[in-house]
């Protein structure tokens, strides 16, 4: 079998995405399957990301695989002054697949070229985080029954948020209508809007969260961070404008679900948690099934 | 004025003339083609008047002929460059440069957080736009535009 890595969501065809989502669905029904018995998975976390790491480790454990690796480069002797090239070449011979998170952009693509085994990108700086995108797609498909012709509202920091950029590019494959809601300073960058223009997809830009509530099948919330503003006063002005509260859900569709990549700070008020449309904790759990699907897809195991 | 231009760079008997280089990018072209490292006789003129470019540069390299692949590398910094192949003082062939679809190891990724700026990795780009130049990094996927373009 030819080695396949997952560095960017664009590495997958639409059929392959659906195949992974279908595998994830089977894992949701039957999470414990011994498909990776005898396989060794390296989890190389050059920067800490507890959630992503635990999600992967849970996925590997449920598949009967073994995990080796490190959780933080500062505590690992293997990376003291060593190049990524050397670390990957060394680890490569110990395992069947590498899961890597690294603060440097493009590090995952490079690692996938150096390694003989498949590499899964668990986040390379501000660049890509394809397993997050796949679990978002899984959550959308599961809650809406389809990925076709949906209306997706993305809220918060749309300028720097890699999660929303990847999800937007991926959802563009299924004729999605987008609503972008953000402070003006943190709007969707022109190159992404151009991408949608070229595909003839419809999108709307808003600054008021209330305007879109009734129009969306999915509301995807992200954090608006103070550091992103050139003028701190601007942040003070908008900081409460992009907080979702239960009182705003009155006009929302029944099928609408609220997603968030977590961790949240204050952008979703706690009073939303008990609404049946709050979906972010289930979304996180879906990450385990999706990562089971990804691991098996890349290792050629089928459930 | 035409006459003046003719006189500013003397003719060569055999070799290659590269014309219509933007004046500001003359030295980048020299670097990309490695002209600073060869022994051939080279003459160049710069800040010459040009209707199209405003100000242009021209390079004449004696007894040297380039592969198309090599010459296309200069398209990044001189997309309108024209090449004349000279034999016995006559122009025997004319070429225009074409911007290649992908380029390797010529340009630097402008993103300071890119792996190519942290480890010994050859840069690779796909050309997403030819004029003005826009290069998408194979690794960090960021776009380096003409303004931020640095030749290695
Ligand atoms: Zn780069």
């Amino acid at each position: 079998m030819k080695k396949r890595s997952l560095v960017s969501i664009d590495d997958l065809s639409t059929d392959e995405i659906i195949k992974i989502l279908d595998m994830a669905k089977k894992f949701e029904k039957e999470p414990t399957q011994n498909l990776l018995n005898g396989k060794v998975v390296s989890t190389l976390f050059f920067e800490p990301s507890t959630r992503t790491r635990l999600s992967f480790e849970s996925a590997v454990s449920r598949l009967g695989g073994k995990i080796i690796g490190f959780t933080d480069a500062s505590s690992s002797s293997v990376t003291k002054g060593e190049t990524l090239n050397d670390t990957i070449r060394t680890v490569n011979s110990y395992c069947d697949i590498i899961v890597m998170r690294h603060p440097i952009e493009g590090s995952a693509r490079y690692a996938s070229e150096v390694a003989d085994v498949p590499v899964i990108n668990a986040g390379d700086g501000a660049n890509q985080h394809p397993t997050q995108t796949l679990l978002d797609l899984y959550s959308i498909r599961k809650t809406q029954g389809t990925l076709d012709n949906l209306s997706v509202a993305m809220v918060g920091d749309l300028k720097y948020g890699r999660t929303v950029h990847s999800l937007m590019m991926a959802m563009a494959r299924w004729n999605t209508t987008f609503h972008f809601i953000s402070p003006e300073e943190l709007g969707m960058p022109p190159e992404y809007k151009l991408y949608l223009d070229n595909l003839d997809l419809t999108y709307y830009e808003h600054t008021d969260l209330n305007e879109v509530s009734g129009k969306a099948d999915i509301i995807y919330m992200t954090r608006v961070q103070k550091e992103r503003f050139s003028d701190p006063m601007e942040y003070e002005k908008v900081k409460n404008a992009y907080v979702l509260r239960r009182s705003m859900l009155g006009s929302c569709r029944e099928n609408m679900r609220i997603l968030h990549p977590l961790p949240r700070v204050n952008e979703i008020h706690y009073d939303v948690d008990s609404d049946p449309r709050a979906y972010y904790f289930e979304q996180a759990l879906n990450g385990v099934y999706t990562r089971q699907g990804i691991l098996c897809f890349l290792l050629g195991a089928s459930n | 004025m035409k006459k003046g231009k003719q006189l500013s760079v003397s003719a060569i008997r055999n070799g290659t003339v590269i014309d219509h280089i933007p004046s500001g990018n003359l030295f980048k072209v020299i670097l990309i083609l490695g002209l600073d490292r060869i022994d051939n006789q080279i003459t160049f003129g710069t800040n010459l008047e040009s209707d199209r470019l405003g100000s242009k540069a021209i390079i004449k390299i004696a007894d040297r002929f380039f592969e198309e692949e090599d010459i296309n590398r200069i398209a990044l910094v001189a997309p309108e460059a024209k090449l004349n192949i000279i034999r016995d003082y006559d122009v025997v062939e004319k070429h225009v440069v074409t911007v290649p679809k992908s380029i390797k190891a010529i340009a630097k990724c402008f993103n300071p957080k890119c792996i190519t700026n942290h480890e010994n990795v050859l840069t690779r780009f796909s050309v997403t736009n030819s004029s003005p130049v826009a290069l998408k990094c194979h690794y960090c996927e960021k776009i380096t535009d003409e303004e931020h373009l640095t030749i290695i």
Side-chain angles (χ1 to χ4, degrees), chain B residues 29-82:
Chain B
V29 171
I30 289 172
L31 275 180
I32 291 173
L33 293 176
L35 301 183
D36 53 334
R37 296 186 303 257
I38 60 173
D39 296 330
N40 304 50
Q41 194 178 69
I42 302 168
T43 49
F44 65 80
T46 187
N47 299 329
L48 308 174
E49 211 166 282
S50 158
D51 291 341
R52 205 177 325 162
L53 300 168
S55 164
K56 69 166 186 177
I58 187 168
I59 307 176
K60 300 189 177 191
I61 308 129
D63 303 315
R64 175 80 191 233
F65 306 94
F66 296 90
E67 298 292 330
E68 198 175 326
E69 199 188 319
D70 289 332
I71 217 73
N72 283 342
R73 291 152 51 105
I74 72 168
L76 288 181
V77 293
E80 300 195 45
K82 294 201 170 36

Side-chain angles (χ1 to χ4, degrees), chain A residues 22-67:
Chain A
D22 284 343
M23 289 170 85
K25 197 170 168 182
K26 289 192 203 164
F27 284 120
E28 181 169 2
K29 286 204 187 82
E30 201 188 335
T32 307
Q33 297 188 41
N34 233 6
L35 295 167
L36 295 190
N37 190 17
K39 301 276 187 198
V40 177
V41 180
S42 290
T43 52
L44 311 184
F45 279 65
F46 291 87
E47 65 177 5
S49 172
T50 310
R51 276 161 207 282
T52 305
R53 184 173 56 81
L54 290 180
S55 177
F56 266 110
E57 294 188 353
S58 170
V60 174
S61 304
R62 286 174 175 179
L63 292 167
K66 292 273 185 291
I67 295 157

Side-chain angles (χ1 to χ4, degrees), chain A residues 112-293:
Chain A
S112 77
E113 291 171 353
V114 171
D116 299 319
V117 297
V119 172
I120 299 177
N121 181 7
D124 60 331
N127 187 28
Q128 297 287 332
H129 191 7
T131 67
Q132 175 73 46
T133 308
L134 283 164
L135 82 86
D136 290 342
L137 292 175
Y138 184 81
S139 300
I140 294 171
R141 188 179 187 225
K142 186 182 160 191
T143 59
Q144 306 302 318
T146 178
L147 289 170
D148 291 310
N149 312 313
L150 296 172
S151 167
V152 174
M154 297 177 154
V155 184
D157 178 358
L158 306 184
K159 185 174 180 185
Y160 298 101
R162 76 172 168 194
T163 315
V164 289
H165 297 157
S166 298
L167 181 60
M168 188 214 83
M169 308 263 282
M171 280 303 288
R173 301 179 191 219
W174 290 281
N175 192 37
T176 306
T177 301
F178 294 96
H179 293 272
F180 301 135
I181 306 105
S182 69
E184 253 162 52
E185 199 171 335
L186 299 180
M188 189 58 83
E191 62 264 34
Y192 293 101
K193 292 191 275 186
L194 185 66
Y195 182 82
L196 297 179
D197 287 337
N198 288 339
L199 292 170
D200 237 346
L201 291 175
T202 310
Y203 60 88
Y204 304 91
E205 295 184 275
H206 317 260
T207 49
D208 185 356
L209 183 50
N210 288 296
E211 275 176 44
V212 285
S213 49
K215 298 182 184 132
D217 299 308
I218 293 290
I219 296 184
Y220 200 98
M221 297 295 298
T222 65
R223 233 176 112 188
V224 173
Q225 290 167 278
K226 193 175 184 173
E227 311 84 87
R228 300 299 194 195
F229 286 82
S230 45
D231 176 2
M233 282 305 291
E234 277 305 304
Y235 171 75
E236 293 304 321
K237 266 191 249 167
V238 303
K239 68 176 181 187
N240 292 319
Y242 300 93
V243 175
L244 193 64
R245 293 185 169 78
R246 188 161 191 160
S247 57
M248 298 158 84
L249 300 178
S251 59
C252 288
R253 297 175 180 176
E254 276 310 304
N255 68 300
M256 188 277 286
R257 289 295 177 273
I258 303 156
L259 269 57
H260 188 297
L262 301 181
R264 72 170 151 183
V265 180
N266 67 340
E267 56 279 8
I268 301 177
H269 195 277
Y270 287 100
D271 69 5
V272 175
D273 292 1
S274 55
D275 190 282
R277 288 166 289 194
Y279 195 72
Y280 24 95
F281 294 114
E282 286 96 328
Q283 179 189 359
L285 176 60
N286 289 338
V288 177
Y289 311 132
T290 309
R291 290 178 173 115
Q292 285 182 284

Side-chain angles (χ1 to χ4, degrees), chain A residues 97-115:
Chain A
I97 190 165
I98 293 171
V99 176
M100 184 178 100
R101 186 177 183 102
H102 199 291
I104 300 292
E105 295 164 27
S107 55
R109 179 72 64 197
Y110 178 57
S112 77
E113 291 171 353
V114 171

